[in-house]
Structure formats: structure tokens, C-alpha cells
Amino acid sequence: MSTKTRQSKTQRAATRSTALSTEAEAPETASGPQPLIDLTRLWVGVRRRRRMWVALALLGMIAGGLFSTLLPSPAEAVTRILVLHEEDQPSDGGSLIRTDATLVMTTRVAAAALDALGSDQRPEQFITQYTAVGLTNNVLELTVKGPTPAEAVRRADALAQAFIADHVGRIQTSADAQAKALLAQRDKINTELKDVNGQIARAEGEARAAQEQAELNGETTDSGQQVQPNAANLDSLYARRAELTSRISDLSQQAQEAGIGAPRVAAGTQVVDKGRAIRRSVLASTGAAAGIGLVLGLVSGVTLAAVMGVVRDRPVLRRDIAAHLAASVVAQLPAPRRGPARLWRRSRAAQERDRVAATLVRLVRDGSGPVSVLELGAPRVAAALALDVATRLDDRPVALVEDPAGRLTRDDLSGRDLAELTGREKHPVRVVGAEDTGPARPGEVRIGVGSVTPGTAWTDLPHLGQETLLVVRAGFANAAWLHTVARQLADASIPVVGVVLVDPDPKDSTDGTLWDGLHTALRGRAARAETVPRLEPGTVNGSARTTSVNGSTNGATNGSADGPELPTHRFSPVGQDRAPEQSVHDVPTRRFPPVRAEDVEGLNQRRTKG
């Protein structure tokens, strides 16, 4: 079997194993219906906006403290009243004292208190400056506000006396009304008694006149007795008169008792705790107001962050960013720190950036054309990453192609010297603009630095590089703009080899690998590098040996011992009917002519004849 046949079989086996491993590792692409609100994304959005709601919480706390200091609460005084009721019962559930508390909050009591104070304040306004609370069934507590503690105590005493006078007055008015009703009933019965007495007097007169007439005539009854008046009628009238007299006596006594009123209630209702000012600590009141402001600010901040996370739709998770950009997340970098935090976190960020730069250096060395670094929300990180790549390529001249011109030295790295940053003295870094259309110098490596933020000139991106590495800040752009970037890069025929995620969520556990992008991903390049043989210098009888990446020999081809590596061409195996397998991404598309009606009719006729 020839050497080419063995190479073709090796390539087909490697292709099958790579495809099987990819299918085994790839997750399920089919997903169920997406929820209306993704709680994971919502929680990530709230957590990433912690600066906002923490700032709002602190702002609320400061505002509460300032409000309590600049606008202090008015002075307050408290007094307690013992209130007795005629209907007091041990089984009372507090309804009577609640009624008294409600009566205190009336304009009649407020007006009486203002009259005693000699104030011209409206009763409706004065009602809003005090409260009444029933502590027990017979104890009422009044809390009154005032401009000064002395004025608050004065208002509390006046209000207490006004309520006591109103309470006793209501009881006396009720007693007087009851006595008046009893007296009116007594007068009515007395009128009826006078009528009964008149009837009795007439009946007795008639009886005496009849008896006298009988005596004059000398008439006697059959039994010899004298004629007697109607005794039954007189007896009923006498009984009625006695009943009415008794009722009149009872009503007179009840009216007299009712007229006295309720002396026990009047004497027992009194102030048991005179008005006294409530002493409040300024520190405690300020702390309470600051705490209330802190809670309100925190709640409003978290609510606002949740609403913004749902409405703005800015992807943060690696899974979402990779899906929207149609490229895998190959690395992630922390955001540039501000203030003192950058002093102790600089080393960690530099290590992460060096690792990403090493990956990009391998891409530049193995690639066939210039590579660009395009940023979306992270200009300083993209510039620093490009300089790290230039630093590692110290054996070659490097040209940084910037778009727009001057962004590296004027905007992204203002006030910094490129020679100092890269440390290249032998081959200094040359910075050119994207408008420089001149050819590259011999052996020079070009690294483009640009942006895909809104307002980007998409037609200039191919001048920065044939392939690109996107440096995207998490949560910077919304999903629609990420789709726009992916579509514009695809229209410009610029493959995205990977995405470097800046400022990722520290608790993000999603996978940022795009499983259906093997033909452009970095892992796809590694798989092809392991299966494609390359030539190494070294002669055996005037021939050069071919070795794979892992160093195994695959046969010999002609070539010089010290010359450069020769290109490798793939040929179909000799003596086999089946052509070598191709990647699904390299299969050409064949165009077929459209189907016409006469073709269909001719096909049906041939089938009928056959």
C-alpha cells in the first residue's frame, strides 16, 4: 500500500474520531420553551448592579439622617386620664374606652381646648397634632405635639380638661334629659289623676243626692233597707286613683334622682398623670430616620435593578454571549480596577492577560494573515492585550493598526510610552492607522485594534485583520447589538476565532462554548493541526521525512535538507471507489435546475410506459 493511501486512511480515522468526540461532548441543542422571566438572569442582573442599589441605600440613609437633623420632629407631651362610665362592666372588651378615644378626635373637643388656650388655630388642623389611645378599659392616654416642650405640655393639659368637661357634660345632659322625660310622664299621669278624682266626686255627689231624696220620701227597699249608691263603680275609681297616686310618687322620686346626675362618674373622671414632655435622644431619632431611609433606598434600588435587568436585556452569562455572537468564549479577564484596588489585583489581571496573549500569539504565528482585536465596551483591555501580543512577538517587527487613528496613544493608553509598555528596543512597535493602505514590511506582523461599538465603520474592519478576537465586556451591549455585530462580521467575511469576556460574573457556571462552530473555533484549529502532517527538515538519501504534530513519521517525500517546509497536498486514495471524507463545513453546494411542468409530465409518461 502506498504512502498516500496510508495517509488518507489516517486522516479519515482521525476525522471520524474527532466527529464522534465532538458529538459526545456537545450538549443538547434543543431547548424547551423559554420562561417569560429567567430568574437566573434576573438574579445576575441584580447582583451586577449592586453598586447602584448600594449607592441608593447609602443615599437613602444619608437623606434620612439629614432630614431628621434639618427638620426635627416637633416636641411631644403625654397625659393620662381616668375615665369612668355608668355602663362599666367587668366583661367590657374596651369598646367604651375606644369610643372615648374617638370622641377626643372630634372638632368639638378640639375647639374647646383651643378656646381654653386662646388660640386661633383651626380645630381641623389641631386634630392632626395629637392622638388618643386607650391603654385599659378606663385609662386614656393623650399625646400632643407642639413647637416647644412647654407648649406641648400646655396643649395636653388643656385637651385633657376639655375632654373631661365634655365627658361630664354629656353625662349630665343625659341625666337632665331623663329627668325631664320622667317629669313629663308624671305630669301626664297627674292630669289623669285629676280626671279620676273628678269622676269620684261626681259619683259620690250623685249617691248622696239619691240617698237624701229617699229619706225625704220615706222610701225603703223591700227588705226595709235604704237605697245605696253604686258601690262597684266607686271601688274601681278608688283603686285607679290609688294606682295613679303611687306612679306619680315613683316618677317624682326617679326624676329627682336623675336630676342629680352621676356624681360618681363626674368625680371619678380626672387626670391621673399630668402633662409631661417626652424626652427624645437626637442620636436615636437620627438613627431611626437613617435606618428607614436605608431600607427604603435598598428596596427601591433592588427593584430598579430588577426592572432594568428585565427591560434592558444585556446578556451577562457566558452562555448567552456565546449564543448571540455565534462564537465561543475562549478566555475571561477581570475589569480594570479603580482606586487602591488596582494595586493588589494588578498581578492577577496581568497573569490572566498574559495567558490570553499567549493564545493570540499562537494564532498570529500559525495564521495566514493579520489578526484584529475588536473591543465592545473594553477599550483599555483590548489595547493592553494587543500590546502584550506585541511584547511576546519580540523576534519579529510588529505593526499595530489602530482604528480610529490615535486611539492607542491618545484614548486607550493616554500618556503612556509604547516602547516602555512593550519593552521592545530591537524591534520597536510601529503604530499605523487603518487608513494606511500601504503594503506591510517584509516579515512584519500586523495586529489590528478596533471597536464594534455603535457607530463603527464596518467596511473598514477587513483592513484590520482577516480574523478577529472579540473583547466584550459583560452586560455592556444588549442582545440586539450583539446580533448586529455577529451579522456585520459575517457579512464582511471576518471569522470570529473567539470571545474574551471582560468583567464576567464571578458566580457564572454556564458554558460559553459554541458547539456548532468548530470550523472557526480555536479548538477546531488544534484538532486540524493534530491530523494534518507537516514537513520537517532532515534528509535521508536526499529525501525529507514527514512528521505530524506529535512527532510520529508518516513516510518520506522529496525535499532539501535545510530548505523551508513544503506545502502538503491531499489526493484521493488510489484503488478505492469512495472519495476521502470531507468536513461538513467544507462540502460544496451543487445547484440544480428548477423543475418544470413538462419535465414532470414526461416523467409520468415514462413511468406509465415502464
Side-chain angles (χ1 to χ4, degrees):
M1 185 179 294
S2 63
T3 303
K4 296 181 178 179
T5 304
R6 288 196 302 269
Q7 292 178 0
S8 300
K9 288 185 176 181
T10 304
Q11 294 172 4
R12 289 197 299 270
T15 304
R16 291 194 188 98
S17 62
T18 304
L20 291 176
S21 62
T22 303
E23 292 177 358
E25 295 176 0
E28 293 293 333
T29 57
S31 59
Q34 295 294 330
L36 181 60
I37 297 177
D38 193 343
L39 296 181
T40 303
R41 297 177 184 174
L42 182 63
W43 172 242
V44 170
V46 172
R47 188 171 63 245
R48 286 186 63 85
R49 292 179 176 87
R50 57 185 177 273
R51 291 184 179 179
M52 182 187 67
W53 50 261
V54 169
L56 287 177
L58 294 178
L59 183 61
M61 182 180 67
I62 295 174
L66 292 177
F67 181 81
S68 177
T69 303
L70 300 178
L71 298 175
S73 58
E76 292 184 351
V78 62
T79 183
R80 293 178 180 178
I81 306 172
L82 176 63
V83 184
L84 299 183
H85 309 89
E86 293 181 309
E87 300 85 3
D88 280 338
Q89 296 294 333
S91 59
D92 179 42
S95 59
L96 296 176
I97 198 67
R98 286 195 297 270
T99 302
D100 293 334
T102 305
L103 291 173
V104 175
M105 305 298 296
T106 57
T107 55
R108 183 175 65 180
V109 177
L114 291 175
D115 291 340
L117 293 171
S119 175
D120 56 352
Q121 187 178 8
R122 295 178 57 188
E124 293 81 2
Q125 185 180 1
F126 183 57
I127 290 175
T128 61
Q129 298 178 356
Y130 66 85
T131 58
V133 179
L135 302 180
T136 64
N137 290 344
N138 296 99
V139 177
L140 183 66
E141 183 181 72
L142 303 179
T143 304
V144 186
K145 297 179 181 180
T148 60
E151 182 65 19
V153 172
R154 184 166 168 264
R155 290 183 177 186
D157 293 338
L159 184 63
Q161 295 300 329
F163 170 73
I164 292 175
D166 181 79
H167 182 69
V168 174
R170 283 187 285 104
I171 294 175
Q172 188 63 41
T173 301
S174 177
D176 293 342
Q178 184 178 3
K180 185 176 180 180
L182 292 174
L183 291 176
Q185 189 175 3
R186 187 196 63 178
D187 295 340
K188 182 179 179 180
I189 296 175
N190 194 13
T191 302
E192 185 178 357
L193 178 60
K194 291 180 180 180
D195 186 25
V196 171
N197 289 333
Q199 293 180 8
I200 293 174
R202 288 193 297 272
E204 289 177 351
E206 292 177 357
R208 286 194 298 270
Q211 185 177 2
E212 292 176 359
Q213 185 67 31
E215 290 177 355
L216 292 175
N217 298 330
E219 296 179 356
T220 60
T221 59
D222 296 339
S223 58
Q225 297 179 354
Q226 296 179 354
V227 178
Q228 298 293 334
N230 189 357
N233 188 20
L234 286 175
D235 290 341
S236 63
L237 292 175
Y238 291 151
R240 179 62 177 168
R241 184 176 61 183
E243 179 184 1
L244 293 176
T245 303
S246 176
R247 291 182 61 184
I248 289 173
S249 178
D250 293 341
L251 290 175
S252 299
Q253 185 177 0
Q254 292 177 6
Q256 185 179 2
E257 292 177 356
I260 297 175
R264 183 183 67 86
V265 174
T269 301
Q270 58 184 343
V271 177
V272 295
D273 191 1
K274 292 185 178 181
R276 53 183 176 84
I278 300 177
R279 298 182 180 273
R280 290 186 175 181
S281 174
V282 177
L283 183 61
S285 60
T286 304
I292 295 174
L294 175 66
V295 173
L296 293 178
L298 182 62
V299 172
S300 59
V302 171
T303 304
L304 182 60
V307 172
M308 291 175 62
V310 175
V311 174
R312 300 181 71 178
D313 188 20
R314 295 189 174 183
V316 175
L317 302 179
R318 289 189 292 267
R319 173 190 61 197
D320 299 335
I321 293 177
H324 292 311
L325 289 175
S328 300
V329 177
V330 296
Q332 58 185 23
L333 295 174
R337 298 294 175 180
R338 299 177 180 177
R342 62 182 179 180
L343 298 178
W344 61 80
R345 295 195 178 187
R346 178 179 297 178
S347 59
R348 178 183 175 186
Q351 292 176 0
E352 292 290 337
R353 202 171 62 241
D354 288 343
R355 185 177 66 85
V356 178
T359 303
L360 192 57
V361 166
R362 289 192 295 269
L363 177 62
V364 171
R365 291 183 184 275
D366 300 337
S368 59
V371 178
S372 63
V373 178
L374 303 180
E375 61 85 16
L376 183 58
R380 296 180 63 87
V381 176
L385 185 60
L387 290 178
D388 291 342
V389 174
T391 303
R392 287 179 172 270
L393 294 174
D394 53 356
D395 56 339
R396 301 182 184 181
V398 178
L400 295 179
V401 184
E402 55 180 0
D403 183 25
R407 65 170 299 162
L408 286 177
T409 57
R410 186 181 66 245
D411 299 332
D412 299 340
L413 301 174
S414 58
R416 308 297 297 273
D417 187 8
L418 295 181
E420 178 186 354
L421 292 174
T422 57
R424 294 168 57 100
E425 298 179 356
K426 183 178 180 181
H427 299 288
V429 178
R430 191 168 64 97
V431 180
V432 298
E435 66 277 2
D436 185 6
T437 59
R441 296 178 181 178
E444 186 180 55
V445 177
R446 286 201 170 192
I447 302 174
V449 181
S451 174
V452 288
T453 54
T456 300
W458 302 104
T459 56
D460 294 340
L461 295 182
H463 300 287
L464 299 179
Q466 298 177 1
E467 295 177 320
T468 186
L469 182 72
L470 291 178
V471 181
V472 181
R473 188 184 186 96
F476 177 78
N478 54 21
W481 184 251
L482 294 180
H483 281 276
T484 301
V485 171
R487 184 176 65 252
Q488 292 290 349
L489 293 177
D491 293 343
S493 299
I494 302 177
V496 180
V497 297
V499 177
V500 177
L501 189 61
V502 180
D503 191 20
D505 186 73
K507 296 185 179 180
D508 183 11
S509 59
T510 59
D511 185 15
T513 304
L514 191 67
W515 294 97
D516 56 354
L518 189 63
H519 60 294
T520 57
L522 293 177
R523 69 181 191 282
R525 296 170 181 268
R528 290 195 297 271
E530 292 179 357
T531 58
V532 176
R534 61 181 176 87
L535 293 178
E536 280 188 354
T539 60
V540 180
N541 297 328
S543 300
R545 295 179 302 167
T546 60
T547 59
S548 63
V549 174
N550 55 10
S552 61
T553 60
N554 294 324
T557 60
N558 54 358
S560 74
D562 298 329
E565 296 181 358
L566 299 179
T568 302
H569 300 281
R570 297 183 182 180
F571 300 95
S572 301
V574 180
Q576 294 187 5
D577 297 334
R578 189 177 64 177
E581 296 181 0
Q582 296 179 348
S583 173
V584 294
H585 304 287
D586 300 331
V587 176
T589 303
R590 182 178 180 183
R591 296 184 178 179
F592 296 92
V595 179
R596 298 174 297 180
E598 52 268 20
D599 297 337
V600 177
E601 294 178 358
L603 179 61
N604 293 333
Q605 292 176 2
R606 287 196 297 270
R607 287 182 178 177
T608 304
K609 293 179 180 180

